[in-house]
Amino acid sequence: MLKKIDDPDAAEDILQDVYIKASANLSQLKSQDSLKSWLYRITHNVMMDFYRTRQPYDELPDDIAVEELTSEDENLQKMA
């Protein structure tokens, strides 16, 4: 995991999240034989969540944002 996450503090946070999720959902583990793959899947999902939250979001250009607001106002007026 440390090879994929360049920030040691973030890697530690991810590891804590994995531990919390694994301990909270231990009852869902079907057999001890699948423990490794089960933990791998939890780790993978937590890492994907981490990367999703780090992605910057592009703001809408002003003309599109205004256009959406105008069409929403027109739809509300039609419904009234």
Side-chain angles (χ1 to χ4, degrees):
M1 182 176 71
L2 287 173
K3 293 177 185 176
K4 297 184 186 250
I5 307 293
D6 56 350
D7 180 9
D9 292 330
E12 193 172 307
D13 289 342
I14 289 171
L15 188 58
Q16 288 177 357
D17 286 348
V18 168
Y19 177 77
I20 290 168
K21 288 181 187 240
S23 61
N25 296 304
L26 196 55
S27 63
Q28 294 180 3
L29 181 61
K30 302 208 186 314
S31 73
Q32 288 183 336
D33 295 337
S34 61
L35 178 63
K36 185 176 179 179
S37 61
W38 184 71
L39 284 173
Y40 178 84
R41 177 52 53 191
I42 292 172
T43 304
H44 173 79
N45 291 341
V46 171
M47 287 177 67
M48 291 299 102
D49 291 343
F50 169 75
Y51 282 120
R52 269 188 224 110
T53 59
R54 285 185 54 180
Q55 285 182 346
Y57 292 98
D58 295 332
E59 290 189 25
L60 287 175
D62 289 337
D63 57 336
I64 292 175
V66 169
E67 190 176 297
E68 285 184 1
L69 286 175
T70 305
S71 64
E72 286 179 13
D73 289 341
E74 288 173 359
N75 288 338
L76 288 174
Q77 287 176 355
K78 288 178 185 178
M79 291 172 37

